[in-house]
Amino acid sequence: MKQYTSHLYRQFTTPSFRFELRETIAWLRDQFVRLHLWNWEITRFPHASNKSYDIIYIGRKARRGLAKSILGINYDDNASYPEGSLSNRKVLVSEMPVPGALQVPWYLITIIPLGHPLEELTARYDKKLRQLLRNARERYHTQQALDDEDIDRANRELLMPYATARRGDGAVQLQPDEVRRIAQETGRLDLLYREGELVGCHLGYPIFRSGKRYWVGLRVGFTDVVFSDSKRLHEANSINNYLALEWAVKNGFDYYDNGTCLARPDDGLLQWKRRRGGAVDKTGNHIYFYVRLPKDGVAQFLWDAPLFAVERHHLTLHLGVPDGANNDEVASRYRDMGFGGLFKVYLHCAKPVEGNLIGMLSELYKHEKSPPSLEVISST
């Protein structure tokens, strides 16, 4: 009995178990908050591009802006609504499950499998990025921040201003004591210097998941001189990410978790991380929108706003090919949709597939060990 109890204790106190327990608690907390139906609303807004879809949103008012971001709707709620009957072009977006709807995640993380030399991990980078890293690497170095003064300065002058610059006044800021706790106890805060000048930082920490060690890049920050100059930011951000990856490889981690992104295939940050080898993963996401596609115009709708979705715990991607789009236009539209980590890619086509369209799209995933299957769905 004593031996059995000891075995249970070891099993329930492993880092992997503690991670799963935190995830379960976070999920339960969000489900509880979601049930506060008095915070819900029913509203409508037109589609982002040609406004020929009537989108009905049912959910918390606080999540309305997030739903619009997922669908690529970037104008205010006072925009004009479609005229006439659009009964077959209604899109329902709900926070509660809806029969026949896609289960669309709020955000995704990007995971880079390690266990290989750094040169192999960066071999898939495009030529310009590899050249930038080679030319700029020697001008940068990092130094771990451990004392309160350096940590607070990094939070005040790097992390917080950069978060505000990216997300506006609604940016979620880490509290100073939380930054100090991560930097001094559970993870590390590395200050980034360019030729002796402080230009940025990287805050990260380790987790254990399913017996594997992950290094999580939680936040990055840069000085206002850097983030106000797109060229300097591109270089510093690329180097910052590269040095964090380099550190994770040297310290024997199995994966590098490059942080969270909005689960929108066209999102700029997600694309930035994809180009650096990040495969999409839904771990940690507890918020879903249920999107029921319109009866008519599905192909056009998904052409304008491709969607990730979860199907039997697997991550899928839904793309549309509207009538009138030739293969060259499809290739141009979807050249940046070669995400790793997908189980299946659905191609909703308004007309029969012509030429080598499937083969062309399959090329996007040829580098994957387990490429996703492609399924064509006849649509209108």
Side-chain angles (χ1 to χ4, degrees):
M1 182 66 180
K2 182 178 180 180
Q3 184 178 5
Y4 178 71
T5 303
S6 177
H7 172 73
L8 286 179
Y9 176 80
R10 289 195 301 271
Q11 182 179 358
F12 293 146
T13 56
T14 62
S16 292
F17 177 79
R18 291 198 297 271
F19 172 77
E20 297 297 337
L21 180 61
R22 289 195 301 270
E23 289 297 296
T24 300
I25 292 173
W27 179 83
L28 289 172
R29 184 184 299 117
D30 184 73
Q31 303 313 304
F32 176 75
V33 173
R34 190 172 62 164
L35 290 175
H36 295 173
L37 298 182
W38 53 88
N39 293 324
W40 281 44
E41 66 174 6
I42 301 178
T43 189
R44 61 198 289 258
F45 38 85
H47 192 239
S49 58
N50 55 24
K51 302 182 182 179
S52 60
Y53 297 87
D54 194 8
I55 301 177
I56 310 299
Y57 171 72
I58 305 174
R60 285 170 284 180
K61 184 176 181 179
R63 299 295 186 198
R64 185 207 306 165
L66 181 57
K68 291 171 68 175
S69 297
I70 294 292
L71 296 176
I73 298 173
N74 55 14
Y75 48 82
D76 62 47
D77 294 323
N78 295 320
S80 60
Y81 293 113
E83 297 180 0
S85 175
L86 290 174
S87 59
N88 289 333
R89 288 197 165 220
K90 286 185 177 179
V91 181
L92 180 61
V93 182
S94 171
E95 281 205 82
M96 285 295 186
V98 176
L102 302 180
Q103 184 181 1
V104 178
W106 166 29
Y107 74 80
L108 300 172
I109 60 175
T110 53
I111 299 294
I112 302 174
L114 305 180
H116 301 280
L118 197 59
E119 295 74 16
E120 291 185 21
L121 296 176
T122 58
R124 284 175 47 196
Y125 292 4
D126 64 56
K127 183 178 179 180
K128 289 184 178 180
L129 179 57
R130 294 198 305 271
Q131 185 177 9
L132 181 151
L133 294 175
R134 284 195 304 269
N135 294 340
R137 172 64 180 88
E138 295 303 317
R139 294 196 292 270
Y140 288 84
H141 75 277
T142 58
Q143 178 179 321
Q144 185 178 6
L146 290 170
D147 63 73
D148 289 353
E149 183 178 350
D150 287 341
I151 295 170
D152 289 343
R153 180 192 173 196
N155 187 37
R156 185 175 60 253
E157 299 180 8
L158 303 172
L159 293 172
M160 295 180 68
Y162 183 60
T164 300
R166 286 182 54 212
R167 302 297 183 188
D169 294 336
V172 178
Q173 303 284 3
L174 296 177
Q175 296 301 311
D177 57 345
E178 177 68 6
V179 176
R180 286 194 293 270
R181 184 186 68 82
I182 296 173
Q184 296 172 333
E185 300 176 19
T186 61
R188 60 185 288 136
L189 174 65
D190 287 308
L191 304 178
L192 179 70
Y193 292 88
R194 186 185 191 275
E195 297 179 340
E197 176 190 3
L198 178 63
V199 295
C201 67
H202 184 283
L203 181 67
Y205 62 92
I207 62 170
F208 290 81
R209 174 184 163 199
S210 301
K212 299 294 184 179
R213 297 176 69 224
Y214 289 71
W215 181 251
V216 180
L218 177 62
R219 293 287 177 98
V220 298
F222 299 96
T223 62
D224 57 354
V225 173
V226 171
F227 65 68
S228 61
D229 184 325
S230 59
K231 184 176 180 181
R232 292 191 65 177
L233 178 60
H234 174 62
E235 178 181 287
N237 204 7
S238 297
I239 290 290
N240 207 19
N241 182 75
Y242 176 82
L243 293 178
L245 180 64
E246 181 181 76
W247 187 89
V249 170
K250 287 182 179 179
N251 286 272
F253 283 86
D254 300 296
Y255 296 92
Y256 176 45
D257 177 344
N258 205 6
T260 61
C261 303
L262 183 70
R264 180 186 170 198
D266 288 323
D267 179 67
L269 180 59
L270 181 58
Q271 287 292 336
W272 189 91
K273 294 179 179 182
R274 179 193 62 80
R275 290 192 293 270
R276 285 151 180 81
V280 289
D281 190 297
K282 63 181 180 61
T283 299
N285 176 76
H286 305 296
I287 301 175
Y288 291 92
F289 294 107
Y290 295 86
V291 180
R292 192 168 66 191
L293 299 173
K295 293 181 179 180
D296 294 337
V298 173
Q300 182 66 55
F301 182 85
L302 292 171
W303 173 268
D304 296 330
L307 292 174
F308 289 113
V310 174
E311 181 180 309
R312 295 191 295 274
H313 304 292
H314 296 296
L315 196 59
T316 65
L317 176 62
H318 290 257
L319 307 175
V321 180
D323 191 17
N326 60 45
N327 284 6
D328 289 340
E329 291 173 322
V330 174
S332 177
R333 174 68 180 94
Y334 294 138
R335 64 185 177 185
D336 295 327
M337 296 294 153
F339 296 98
L342 295 175
F343 171 70
K344 183 180 286 189
V345 176
Y346 291 95
L347 199 62
H348 300 256
C349 298
K351 63 179 181 179
V353 173
E354 298 178 353
N356 191 34
L357 179 60
I358 299 301
M360 182 176 59
L361 291 176
S362 297
E363 285 291 305
L364 296 174
Y365 309 99
K366 66 179 182 180
H367 59 275
E368 296 296 321
K369 290 184 178 179
S370 300
S373 59
L374 270 68
E375 181 175 329
V376 176
I377 298 178
S378 297
S379 180
T380 57

